[in-house]
Protein backbone atom coordinates (compact mmCIF):
# COMPACT_ATOMS: atom_id res chain seq x y z
CA UNK A 1 0.00 0.00 0.00
CA UNK A 2 1.48 3.36 -0.97
CA UNK A 3 0.17 6.70 0.02
CA UNK A 4 1.58 9.37 -2.16
CA UNK A 5 2.94 12.31 -0.21
CA UNK A 6 3.61 15.42 -2.25
CA UNK A 7 5.33 18.57 -1.06
CA UNK A 8 2.06 20.23 -0.07
CA UNK A 9 1.10 17.21 2.03
CA UNK A 10 4.53 17.25 3.72
CA UNK A 11 4.13 20.97 4.48
CA UNK A 12 0.72 20.26 6.01
CA UNK A 13 2.35 17.64 8.25
CA UNK A 14 4.88 20.28 9.38
CA UNK A 15 2.08 22.74 10.14
CA UNK A 16 0.47 20.16 12.44
CA UNK A 17 3.76 19.11 14.11
CA UNK A 18 3.82 19.80 17.89
CA UNK A 19 7.65 20.07 17.81
CA UNK A 20 7.66 22.58 14.97
CA UNK A 21 8.56 25.56 17.16
CA UNK A 22 11.80 23.87 18.29
CA UNK A 23 13.29 24.52 14.89
CA UNK A 24 13.59 28.21 15.76
CA UNK A 25 15.98 27.27 18.57
CA UNK A 26 18.65 26.34 16.01
CA UNK A 27 20.69 28.16 13.40
CA UNK A 28 20.95 26.35 10.08
CA UNK A 29 22.35 27.84 6.88
CA UNK A 30 19.94 28.78 4.10
CA UNK A 31 19.63 26.19 1.38
CA UNK A 32 20.86 23.31 3.51
CA UNK A 33 18.84 20.25 4.49
CA UNK A 34 20.86 18.86 7.35
CA UNK A 35 20.52 15.10 7.72
CA UNK A 36 23.76 14.62 9.65
CA UNK A 37 22.77 15.68 13.17
CA UNK A 38 23.61 12.08 14.11
CA UNK A 39 27.30 12.95 13.52
CA UNK A 40 27.43 16.59 14.56
CA UNK A 41 24.29 18.24 15.90
CA UNK A 42 23.25 21.74 14.85
CA UNK A 43 24.19 24.89 16.75
CA UNK A 44 21.78 27.11 18.64
CA UNK A 45 21.85 30.75 19.79
CA UNK A 46 21.61 29.50 23.38
CA UNK A 47 24.96 27.77 22.88
CA UNK A 48 26.61 30.87 21.46
CA UNK A 49 25.33 32.92 24.41
CA UNK A 50 26.73 30.46 26.96
CA UNK A 51 30.12 30.29 25.27
CA UNK A 52 30.24 34.07 25.08
CA UNK A 53 29.47 34.49 28.80
CA UNK A 54 31.93 31.78 29.79
CA UNK A 55 34.72 33.29 27.68
CA UNK A 56 34.23 37.05 28.07
CA UNK A 57 32.86 37.36 31.58
CA UNK A 58 33.78 34.29 33.54
CA UNK A 59 37.21 33.74 32.06
CA UNK A 60 38.00 37.26 30.85
CA UNK A 61 36.91 39.06 34.01
CA UNK A 62 36.41 36.40 36.65
CA UNK A 63 39.69 34.64 35.86
CA UNK A 64 40.63 31.91 38.35
CA UNK A 65 37.84 33.02 40.72
CA UNK A 66 35.27 31.55 38.33
CA UNK A 67 36.13 27.97 39.34
CA UNK A 68 34.16 28.83 42.47
CA UNK A 69 31.96 31.78 41.57
CA UNK A 70 30.71 30.53 38.18
CA UNK A 71 30.13 26.94 39.28
CA UNK A 72 32.86 25.62 36.97
CA UNK A 73 34.09 22.92 39.31
CA UNK A 74 30.71 21.23 39.61
CA UNK A 75 29.68 21.75 35.97
CA UNK A 76 30.50 18.16 34.86
CA UNK A 77 28.16 16.79 37.54
CA UNK A 78 25.45 19.38 37.02
CA UNK A 79 25.33 18.64 33.29
CA UNK A 80 25.51 14.93 34.03
CA UNK A 81 22.34 15.23 36.12
CA UNK A 82 20.59 17.00 33.24
CA UNK A 83 21.64 14.35 30.73
CA UNK A 84 20.41 11.78 33.25
CA UNK A 85 16.86 12.94 32.61
CA UNK A 86 17.25 12.13 28.91
CA UNK A 87 18.71 8.65 29.48
CA UNK A 88 16.59 7.55 32.43
CA UNK A 89 19.32 7.86 35.05
CA UNK A 90 18.47 9.38 38.44
CA UNK A 91 20.75 12.13 39.78
CA UNK A 92 24.28 11.31 40.93
CA UNK A 93 24.98 8.59 38.40
CA UNK A 94 26.11 10.52 35.32
CA UNK A 95 29.08 12.83 34.81
CA UNK A 96 30.11 14.72 31.69
CA UNK A 97 33.81 14.16 31.10
CA UNK A 98 36.49 13.14 28.59
CA UNK A 99 35.58 11.41 25.33
CA UNK A 100 33.37 8.42 24.65
CA UNK A 101 36.43 6.36 23.76
CA UNK A 102 38.10 7.17 27.09
CA UNK A 103 34.88 6.51 28.99
CA UNK A 104 34.53 3.11 27.32
CA UNK A 105 38.00 2.27 28.60
CA UNK A 106 37.11 3.36 32.13
CA UNK A 107 33.79 1.51 32.14
CA UNK A 108 35.18 -1.75 30.75
CA UNK A 109 38.08 -1.69 33.14
CA UNK A 110 35.81 -0.99 36.11
CA UNK A 111 33.36 -3.71 35.06
CA UNK A 112 36.16 -6.31 34.77
CA UNK A 113 37.31 -5.35 38.24
CA UNK A 114 33.79 -6.01 39.55
CA UNK A 115 33.83 -9.54 38.09
CA UNK A 116 37.14 -11.07 39.21
CA UNK A 117 37.74 -14.57 37.91
CA UNK A 118 35.96 -13.87 34.62
CA UNK A 119 38.15 -12.96 31.68
CA UNK A 120 35.93 -12.44 28.62
CA UNK A 121 34.66 -9.18 27.15
CA UNK A 122 31.81 -9.66 24.67
CA UNK A 123 31.14 -7.04 21.99
CA UNK A 124 29.69 -6.73 18.51
CA UNK A 125 31.80 -7.31 15.39
CA UNK A 126 29.68 -4.59 13.80
CA UNK A 127 30.31 -2.17 16.65
CA UNK A 128 31.55 1.35 16.10
CA UNK A 129 35.27 0.58 15.73
CA UNK A 130 36.58 2.74 18.59
CA UNK A 131 34.57 0.61 21.03
CA UNK A 132 36.48 -2.46 19.86
CA UNK A 133 39.81 -0.66 19.79
CA UNK A 134 39.30 0.40 23.40
CA UNK A 135 38.19 -3.11 24.38
CA UNK A 136 41.40 -4.47 22.82
CA UNK A 137 43.33 -1.91 24.85
CA UNK A 138 41.66 -2.99 28.10
CA UNK A 139 42.18 -6.69 27.31
CA UNK A 140 45.88 -6.03 26.62
CA UNK A 141 46.37 -4.77 30.18
CA UNK A 142 44.76 -7.81 31.80
CA UNK A 143 46.55 -11.16 31.51
CA UNK A 144 44.21 -13.86 30.20
CA UNK A 145 41.54 -11.42 29.08
CA UNK A 146 39.98 -12.05 25.68
CA UNK A 147 37.48 -10.44 23.39
CA UNK A 148 34.57 -12.43 21.91
CA UNK A 149 32.67 -10.84 19.05
CA UNK A 150 29.18 -11.19 17.71
CA UNK A 151 29.37 -12.00 14.00
CA UNK A 152 32.84 -13.55 14.44
CA UNK A 153 32.68 -15.99 17.35
CA UNK A 154 28.89 -16.55 17.20
CA UNK A 155 26.05 -15.15 15.12
CA UNK A 156 24.11 -13.57 18.01
CA UNK A 157 25.47 -11.70 21.01
CA UNK A 158 23.21 -13.71 23.33
CA UNK A 159 25.07 -16.90 22.36
CA UNK A 160 28.37 -15.48 23.64
CA UNK A 161 27.18 -14.61 27.13
CA UNK A 162 28.15 -17.31 29.62
CA UNK A 163 29.79 -17.58 33.04
CA UNK A 164 33.24 -16.68 31.69
CA UNK A 165 32.02 -13.24 30.64
CA UNK A 166 32.77 -10.26 32.85
CA UNK A 167 31.24 -7.56 30.68
CA UNK A 168 29.22 -7.08 27.51
CA UNK A 169 29.73 -3.90 25.51
CA UNK A 170 26.74 -3.07 23.32
CA UNK A 171 25.88 -0.19 21.00
CA UNK A 172 22.26 0.68 21.82
CA UNK A 173 21.77 1.85 18.22
CA UNK A 174 24.16 0.60 15.54
CA UNK A 175 25.94 3.54 13.94
CA UNK A 176 25.69 2.11 10.46
CA UNK A 177 22.39 0.25 10.18
CA UNK A 178 20.49 2.17 12.85
CA UNK A 179 19.36 -1.11 14.46
CA UNK A 180 18.07 -0.57 18.01
CA UNK A 181 18.93 -3.22 20.61
CA UNK A 182 16.52 -4.27 23.34
CA UNK A 183 18.15 -2.78 26.42
CA UNK A 184 15.91 -4.45 29.00
CA UNK A 185 16.17 -7.93 27.50
CA UNK A 186 19.94 -7.88 26.87
CA UNK A 187 20.70 -6.41 30.27
CA UNK A 188 18.67 -9.18 31.87
CA UNK A 189 20.36 -11.82 29.72
CA UNK A 190 23.79 -10.60 30.85
CA UNK A 191 22.76 -10.34 34.50
CA UNK A 192 21.31 -13.88 34.44
CA UNK A 193 24.80 -15.08 33.42
CA UNK A 194 26.41 -12.97 36.13
CA UNK A 195 27.90 -10.47 33.65
CA UNK A 196 27.70 -6.69 33.54
CA UNK A 197 26.77 -4.49 30.58
CA UNK A 198 28.24 -1.26 29.21
CA UNK A 199 25.71 0.45 26.93
CA UNK A 200 27.07 2.82 24.31
CA UNK A 201 24.37 5.45 23.82
CA UNK A 202 26.13 7.56 21.16
CA UNK A 203 23.25 7.11 18.72
CA UNK A 204 20.41 6.94 21.22
CA UNK A 205 21.01 9.77 23.73
CA UNK A 206 18.82 12.57 22.41
CA UNK A 207 17.50 10.34 19.65
CA UNK A 208 14.93 8.33 21.60
CA UNK A 209 13.78 7.76 25.19
CA UNK A 210 16.33 5.68 27.12
CA UNK A 211 15.55 4.01 30.46
CA UNK A 212 18.85 3.06 32.08
CA UNK A 213 17.61 2.78 35.68
CA UNK A 214 14.42 0.96 34.71
CA UNK A 215 16.43 -1.57 32.68
CA UNK A 216 18.81 -2.19 35.59
CA UNK A 217 21.77 -0.94 33.52
CA UNK A 218 25.26 -1.08 35.03
CA UNK A 219 27.32 1.37 32.94
CA UNK A 220 26.62 3.60 29.95
CA UNK A 221 28.64 6.04 27.89
CA UNK A 222 27.76 8.40 25.08
CA UNK A 223 28.52 11.44 22.97
CA UNK A 224 27.08 14.90 23.44
CA UNK A 225 28.09 16.29 20.03
CA UNK A 226 25.67 14.11 18.03
CA UNK A 227 21.94 14.27 18.84
CA UNK A 228 22.51 16.38 21.96
CA UNK A 229 24.01 19.26 19.90
CA UNK A 230 26.85 20.08 22.33
CA UNK A 231 29.28 21.17 19.58
CA UNK A 232 32.28 19.62 17.81
CA UNK A 233 34.25 17.44 20.22
CA UNK A 234 31.96 18.31 23.15
CA UNK A 235 32.79 16.17 26.20
CA UNK A 236 31.12 12.78 26.54
CA UNK A 237 29.20 11.33 29.49
CA UNK A 238 29.49 8.23 31.61
CA UNK A 239 26.73 6.69 33.74
CA UNK A 240 27.53 4.28 36.56
CA UNK A 241 24.65 2.77 38.53
CA UNK A 242 24.70 3.89 42.15
CA UNK A 243 25.00 0.30 43.40
CA UNK A 244 28.36 -0.13 41.65
CA UNK A 245 29.98 3.22 42.36
CA UNK A 246 31.81 2.51 45.60
CA UNK A 247 33.48 -0.61 44.19
CA UNK A 248 33.96 0.47 40.57
CA UNK A 249 37.60 1.42 40.01
CA UNK A 250 38.53 3.22 36.85
CA UNK A 251 42.19 3.12 35.86
CA UNK A 252 42.78 6.82 35.12
CA UNK A 253 43.22 7.87 38.72
CA UNK A 254 43.64 11.60 38.21
CA UNK A 255 43.11 14.31 40.76
CA UNK A 256 39.59 15.23 39.64
CA UNK A 257 38.49 11.74 40.65
CA UNK A 258 40.08 12.08 44.08
CA UNK A 259 37.88 12.49 47.16
CA UNK A 260 39.72 15.70 48.14
CA UNK A 261 41.48 17.12 45.06
CA UNK A 262 42.40 20.39 46.73
CA UNK A 263 43.92 18.78 49.78
CA UNK A 264 46.87 17.92 47.49
CA UNK A 265 47.50 14.74 49.43
CA UNK A 266 49.93 12.01 48.52
CA UNK A 267 48.19 8.80 47.51
CA UNK A 268 45.03 8.31 45.51
CA UNK A 269 41.74 8.04 47.40
CA UNK A 270 38.83 7.84 44.95
CA UNK A 271 35.71 9.94 45.54
CA UNK A 272 32.87 7.78 46.86
CA UNK A 273 30.48 8.74 44.04
CA UNK A 274 30.35 9.39 40.31
CA UNK A 275 33.10 12.04 40.59
CA UNK A 276 35.63 9.20 40.64
CA UNK A 277 35.00 8.74 36.93
CA UNK A 278 36.59 12.09 36.15
CA UNK A 279 40.33 12.25 35.56
CA UNK A 280 41.80 15.75 35.11
CA UNK A 281 40.72 19.36 34.60
CA UNK A 282 37.67 19.60 32.38
CA UNK A 283 37.21 21.86 29.34
CA UNK A 284 34.96 24.65 30.56
CA UNK A 285 34.26 26.33 27.23
CA UNK A 286 33.07 23.04 25.75
CA UNK A 287 31.04 22.27 28.85
CA UNK A 288 29.36 25.66 28.59
CA UNK A 289 28.43 25.05 24.96
CA UNK A 290 26.84 21.80 26.10
CA UNK A 291 25.00 23.65 28.88
CA UNK A 292 23.45 25.91 26.25
CA UNK A 293 22.44 22.89 24.19
CA UNK A 294 20.84 21.19 27.22
CA UNK A 295 18.76 24.32 27.90
CA UNK A 296 16.98 23.48 24.64
CA UNK A 297 16.61 19.80 25.63
CA UNK A 298 14.99 20.73 28.94
CA UNK A 299 11.88 21.71 26.95
CA UNK A 300 11.64 18.49 24.95
CA UNK A 301 9.05 15.74 25.49
CA UNK A 302 10.98 12.57 24.57
CA UNK A 303 7.83 10.62 23.63
CA UNK A 304 6.81 13.31 21.13
CA UNK A 305 10.38 13.32 19.82
CA UNK A 306 10.34 9.56 19.27
CA UNK A 307 6.99 9.66 17.51
CA UNK A 308 8.19 12.31 15.07
CA UNK A 309 11.55 10.59 14.55
CA UNK A 310 9.83 7.39 13.41
CA UNK A 311 7.38 9.31 11.20
CA UNK A 312 10.18 11.26 9.47
CA UNK A 313 12.22 8.14 8.82
CA UNK A 314 9.18 6.12 7.65
CA UNK A 315 8.34 8.90 5.20
CA UNK A 316 11.93 8.97 3.95
CA UNK A 317 11.98 5.20 3.32
CA UNK A 318 8.63 5.30 1.58
CA UNK A 319 9.59 8.19 -0.71
CA UNK A 320 13.05 6.79 -1.54
CA UNK A 321 11.58 3.42 -2.46
CA UNK A 322 8.85 5.05 -4.55
CA UNK A 323 11.03 7.62 -6.33
CA UNK A 324 14.50 6.09 -6.54
CA UNK A 325 13.63 2.54 -7.59
CA UNK A 326 15.92 0.91 -10.15
CA UNK A 327 19.11 2.61 -8.95
CA UNK A 328 20.45 -0.17 -6.75
CA UNK A 329 19.56 1.30 -3.36
CA UNK A 330 18.94 -1.34 -0.69
CA UNK A 331 17.51 -0.48 2.73
CA UNK A 332 20.12 -1.33 5.38
CA UNK A 333 18.06 -0.18 8.38
CA UNK A 334 15.21 -2.06 10.03
CA UNK A 335 11.95 -1.27 8.28
CA UNK A 336 10.06 -1.46 11.56
CA UNK A 337 10.43 1.97 13.19
CA UNK A 338 10.27 0.49 16.70
CA UNK A 339 13.49 -1.44 15.97
CA UNK A 340 15.36 1.54 14.55
CA UNK A 341 17.18 4.53 16.02
CA UNK A 342 16.71 7.94 14.41
CA UNK A 343 18.60 7.30 11.17
CA UNK A 344 18.07 5.50 7.89
CA UNK A 345 20.79 3.87 5.81
CA UNK A 346 20.75 2.59 2.28
CA UNK A 347 23.59 0.71 0.61
CA UNK A 348 24.63 1.43 -2.97
CA UNK A 349 27.92 0.59 -4.71
CA UNK A 350 28.57 4.24 -5.54
CA UNK A 351 27.48 5.55 -2.15
CA UNK A 352 30.49 7.83 -1.66
CA UNK A 353 30.05 9.74 -4.93
CA UNK A 354 26.27 9.91 -4.54
CA UNK A 355 26.65 11.44 -1.08
CA UNK A 356 29.16 14.01 -2.39
CA UNK A 357 26.71 14.99 -5.13
CA UNK A 358 23.94 15.37 -2.53
CA UNK A 359 26.17 17.51 -0.29
CA UNK A 360 27.06 19.72 -3.27
CA UNK A 361 23.31 20.32 -3.63
CA UNK A 362 22.83 21.17 0.02
CA UNK A 363 21.50 17.83 1.25
CA UNK A 364 23.99 16.82 3.93
CA UNK A 365 24.06 13.21 5.06
CA UNK A 366 27.14 11.06 5.35
CA UNK A 367 28.90 8.04 3.94
CA UNK A 368 30.12 5.06 5.92
CA UNK A 369 32.54 2.63 4.29
CA UNK A 370 32.20 0.58 2.26
CA UNK A 371 28.84 1.42 0.71
CA UNK A 372 26.44 3.09 3.15
CA UNK A 373 24.49 6.29 2.56
CA UNK A 374 23.42 7.42 6.03
CA UNK A 375 20.71 9.96 6.80
CA UNK A 376 20.01 11.17 10.33
CA UNK A 377 16.61 12.50 11.38
CA UNK A 378 16.76 15.00 14.21
CA UNK A 379 13.15 15.90 14.98
CA UNK A 380 13.98 19.18 16.71
CA UNK A 381 15.10 20.83 13.51
CA UNK A 382 14.11 18.58 10.60
CA UNK A 383 10.58 18.59 9.19
CA UNK A 384 8.53 16.53 6.76
CA UNK A 385 9.02 19.01 3.90
CA UNK A 386 12.80 18.68 4.41
CA UNK A 387 12.44 14.93 3.98
CA UNK A 388 10.43 15.40 0.82
CA UNK A 389 12.94 17.86 -0.65
CA UNK A 390 15.92 15.67 0.25
CA UNK A 391 14.39 12.70 -1.58
CA UNK A 392 13.60 14.96 -4.53
CA UNK A 393 17.30 15.89 -4.77
CA UNK A 394 18.38 12.26 -4.37
CA UNK A 395 15.98 11.13 -7.11
CA UNK A 396 17.39 13.84 -9.37
CA UNK A 397 21.03 12.96 -8.65
CA UNK A 398 20.32 9.31 -9.48
CA UNK A 399 18.15 9.92 -12.55
CA UNK A 400 20.62 12.34 -14.15
CA UNK A 401 23.76 10.44 -13.11
CA UNK A 402 25.07 13.73 -11.69
CA UNK A 403 27.10 11.75 -9.12
CA UNK A 404 29.38 10.48 -11.93
CA UNK A 405 31.20 13.84 -12.04
CA UNK A 406 34.86 12.91 -11.28
CA UNK A 407 35.11 15.50 -8.50
CA UNK A 408 32.64 13.47 -6.42
CA UNK A 409 35.00 10.48 -6.42
CA UNK A 410 37.77 12.30 -4.51
CA UNK A 411 37.84 11.07 -0.91
CA UNK A 412 38.17 13.59 1.92
CA UNK A 413 39.86 12.75 5.25
CA UNK A 414 36.58 12.87 7.20
CA UNK A 415 33.55 11.23 5.64
C1 LIG B 1 30.47 8.55 17.60
C2 LIG B 1 30.74 7.32 18.37
C3 LIG B 1 31.86 7.22 19.18
C4 LIG B 1 32.86 8.33 19.20
O1 LIG B 1 33.78 8.28 20.21
P1 LIG B 1 34.72 9.55 20.49
O2 LIG B 1 35.61 9.12 21.55
O3 LIG B 1 33.81 10.69 20.84
O4 LIG B 1 35.43 9.91 19.22
C5 LIG B 1 32.02 6.06 19.94
N1 LIG B 1 31.13 5.06 19.89
C6 LIG B 1 30.03 5.13 19.08
C7 LIG B 1 29.05 4.00 19.06
C8 LIG B 1 29.82 6.26 18.29
O5 LIG B 1 28.76 6.32 17.51
Amino acid sequence: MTRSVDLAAAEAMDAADPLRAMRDRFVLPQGVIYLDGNSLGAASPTVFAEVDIAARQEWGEGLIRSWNTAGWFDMPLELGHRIGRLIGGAAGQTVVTDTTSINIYKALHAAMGLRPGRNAIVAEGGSFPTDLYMAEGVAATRPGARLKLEGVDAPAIEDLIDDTVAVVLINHVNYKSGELRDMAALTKRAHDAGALVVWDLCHSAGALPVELDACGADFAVGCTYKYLNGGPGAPAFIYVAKRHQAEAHQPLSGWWGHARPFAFEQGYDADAGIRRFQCGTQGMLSLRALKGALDVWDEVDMQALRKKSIALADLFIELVEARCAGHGLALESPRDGSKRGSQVSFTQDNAYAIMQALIARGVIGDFRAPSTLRFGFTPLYIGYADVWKAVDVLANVLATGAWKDPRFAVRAAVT
Side-chain angles (χ1 to χ4, degrees):
M1 192 191 75
T2 38
R3 82 198 143 106
S4 151
V5 173
D6 60 13
L7 182 56
E11 284 169 350
M13 291 160 84
D14 282 332
D17 170 16
L19 290 173
R20 183 69 180 164
M22 296 304 295
R23 191 190 185 94
D24 299 335
R25 305 296 305 270
F26 295 89
V27 289
L28 286 162
Q30 284 291 324
V32 163
I33 297 177
Y34 192 57
L35 303 181
D36 213 359
N38 53 318
S39 265
L40 175 64
S44 60
T46 335
V47 168
F48 301 149
E50 283 294 333
V51 172
D52 198 65
I53 292 169
R56 285 180 204 278
Q57 294 175 22
E58 295 175 2
W59 176 23
E61 294 170 29
L63 292 167
I64 192 99
R65 294 168 288 192
S66 289
W67 283 107
N68 291 313
T69 57
W72 283 358
F73 186 67
D74 285 327
M75 190 78 51
L77 284 110
E78 184 205 317
L79 301 187
H81 295 175
R82 289 171 71 182
I83 288 174
R85 182 187 80 85
L86 301 173
I87 57 174
Q93 301 178 103
T94 310
V95 65
V96 175
T97 182
D98 300 332
T99 66
T100 301
S101 301
I102 293 171
N103 290 336
I104 289 168
Y105 192 88
K106 293 187 270 191
L108 286 177
H109 192 284
M112 293 205 76
L114 290 168
R115 290 293 178 271
R118 293 177 173 228
N119 60 9
I121 301 174
V122 165
E124 304 146 285
S127 167
F128 190 92
T130 202
D131 299 47
L132 300 182
Y133 303 156
M134 298 314 282
E136 282 177 31
V138 171
T141 66
R142 305 182 77 97
R146 62 202 168 90
L147 199 52
K148 294 200 292 183
L149 299 182
E150 179 188 50
V152 177
D153 299 303
I157 201 161
E158 289 87 342
D159 301 331
L160 293 170
I161 305 173
D162 58 26
D163 63 10
T164 67
V165 176
V167 57
V168 187
L169 171 63
I170 315 176
N171 292 206
H172 193 201
V173 171
N174 184 274
Y175 77 105
K176 213 189 258 188
S177 69
E179 181 191 352
L180 171 66
R181 296 281 196 166
D182 185 335
M183 182 179 281
L186 279 171
T187 302
K188 181 169 186 311
R189 175 72 185 80
H191 287 177
D192 286 349
L196 299 169
V197 184
V198 177
W199 285 99
D200 185 328
L201 307 181
C202 279
H203 287 278
S204 56
L208 46 105
V210 178
E211 297 293 345
L212 288 174
D213 287 347
C215 292
D218 303 295
F219 296 86
V221 298
C223 295
T224 66
Y225 54 78
K226 293 175 177 165
Y227 289 93
L228 293 176
N229 312 312
F237 63 84
I238 178 164
Y239 159 101
V240 182
K242 198 96 212 165
R243 66 183 180 281
H244 293 313
Q245 287 176 7
E247 298 303 321
H249 299 291
Q250 63 104 343
L252 307 178
S253 45
W255 70 310
W256 273 49
H258 195 283
R260 296 164 301 280
F262 286 91
F264 295 102
E265 294 165 13
Q266 270 187 11
Y268 186 71
D269 179 17
D271 180 81
I274 190 67
R275 254 185 224 281
R276 65 168 54 191
F277 277 82
Q278 299 186 107
C279 179
T281 309
Q282 304 296 305
M284 281 306 135
L285 299 180
S286 295
L287 282 163
R288 287 303 286 268
L290 176 59
K291 180 169 186 277
L294 292 176
D295 286 347
V296 176
W297 278 104
D298 284 349
E299 296 167 33
V300 177
D301 169 358
M302 293 305 287
Q303 300 301 332
L305 180 98
R306 178 64 171 153
K307 206 170 152 211
K308 182 176 172 188
S309 152
I310 292 176
L312 289 170
D314 280 350
L315 178 63
F316 184 76
I317 293 170
E318 178 192 322
L319 289 173
V320 168
E321 291 185 339
R323 297 196 53 200
C324 305
H327 291 287
L329 292 177
L331 181 66
E332 189 180 7
S333 302
R335 193 172 289 280
D336 176 352
S338 70
K339 297 191 163 58
R340 203 171 56 216
S342 202
Q343 68 179 69
V344 173
S345 299
F346 284 93
T347 54
Q348 212 278 6
D349 291 344
N350 302 107
Y352 184 79
I354 292 169
M355 184 53 75
Q356 298 317 302
L358 288 177
I359 293 171
R361 286 163 177 72
V363 176
I364 303 181
D366 60 22
F367 162 81
R368 285 293 172 263
S371 59
T372 296
L373 291 157
R374 189 175 68 159
F375 302 91
F377 297 94
T378 46
L380 300 187
Y381 52 86
I382 289 298
Y384 299 95
D386 296 320
V387 169
W388 194 92
K389 290 176 191 165
V391 177
D392 195 49
V393 173
L394 176 60
N396 184 272
V397 160
L398 293 169
T400 61
W403 58 268
K404 292 177 185 156
D405 186 322
R407 75 192 154 110
F408 296 138
V410 182
R411 297 269 173 129
V414 175
T415 62

